[in-house]
Amino acid sequence: MTMRPPFPGKSSSASKPSGTEERRRIIEKYINSLKELLKRLRNALNTGAVL
């Protein structure tokens, strides 16, 4: 007896993230880069450095 995927048309492969997970990962990466940029800007403003 063969095992069927849990949902028709979907594979049970865990190697490929779902679309939602992939979008969340991209957004988190973008947020982290913005946080790093803000951190550098605050540091530059506090030290009086010229960008």
Side-chain angles (χ1 to χ4, degrees), residues 12-51:
S12 60
S13 173
S15 64
K16 184 177 177 186
S18 71
T20 303
E21 291 172 3
E22 180 67 14
R23 286 187 286 274
R24 181 175 287 136
R25 186 188 63 78
I26 291 168
I27 291 168
E28 286 176 355
K29 187 176 177 182
Y30 177 68
I31 289 170
N32 288 336
S33 66
L34 289 178
K35 286 179 182 178
E36 180 64 27
L37 176 62
L38 286 172
K39 181 176 154 185
R40 289 180 185 203
L41 286 172
R42 284 191 198 109
N43 187 34
L45 289 172
N46 289 333
T47 60
V50 178
L51 297 177

